[in-house]
Amino acid sequence: MSKDKLYGGIILIVSVLLILWYTYWALYYGCWIGMQIESMVLIIPGFMVYIGSHAIQSFLYSLAAPSILQWIPTPPKFLAVGIPIWLAITAILAIAAWIGWTMLTTPPPVPLEELEAEEEEEKKEEEKEEKEAKKAKKAKK
């Protein structure tokens, strides 16, 4: 196996493993951390305590919106940033995997010595054909 194929296989395997690891990390830790960052509500009988980065917004929303609207599920806000970042990193790793696959499946180039030897053989054959053509012309005359 040539070095190019070996490098291509390594690039392919590492890229695929990184895609899987980053996807797992983004889904597990990203969602868990994102849920912790989102505004949290601690309900104590008689009153609510809002904790988190959006505490004031959550408090104003609870006062303004009817209680039935508060139970409608909304996607977490951190996904608005998390999904594009995940897509960008996954796209870059997919391109790297594609390059690795191409390197792995492409046959190695022909060495220059073989190309030079083939060119010399072709030149000799052409010279022979020219000589034969000249002899045939002389024989006709």
Side-chain angles (χ1 to χ4, degrees), residues 2 4-5 102-110:
S2 68
D4 293 340
K5 289 188 179 231
T102 304
M103 289 175 68
L104 183 64
T105 58
T106 303
V110 178

Side-chain angles (χ1 to χ4, degrees), residues 34-45:
M35 287 187 302
Q36 304 305 317
I37 292 173
E38 287 294 317
S39 56
M40 295 177 280
V41 179
L42 175 63
I43 300 174
I44 300 175

Side-chain angles (χ1 to χ4, degrees), residues 50 63 68 92 113 129:
Y50 291 90
L63 293 177
I68 194 154
I92 291 168
E113 295 90 24
E129 290 174 3

Side-chain angles (χ1 to χ4, degrees), residues 34-99:
M35 287 187 302
Q36 304 305 317
I37 292 173
E38 287 294 317
S39 56
M40 295 177 280
V41 179
L42 175 63
I43 300 174
I44 300 175
F47 62 96
M48 287 190 230
V49 178
Y50 291 90
I51 305 168
S53 60
H54 304 287
I56 295 172
Q57 295 166 353
S58 298
F59 178 71
L60 293 175
Y61 177 75
S62 68
L63 293 177
S67 61
I68 194 154
L69 292 179
Q70 293 178 11
W71 295 102
I72 296 174
T74 57
K77 294 174 186 169
F78 70 93
L79 289 178
V81 174
I83 290 174
I85 291 173
W86 177 83
L87 283 173
I89 291 174
T90 303
I92 291 168
L93 290 172
I95 292 170
W98 178 43
I99 290 170

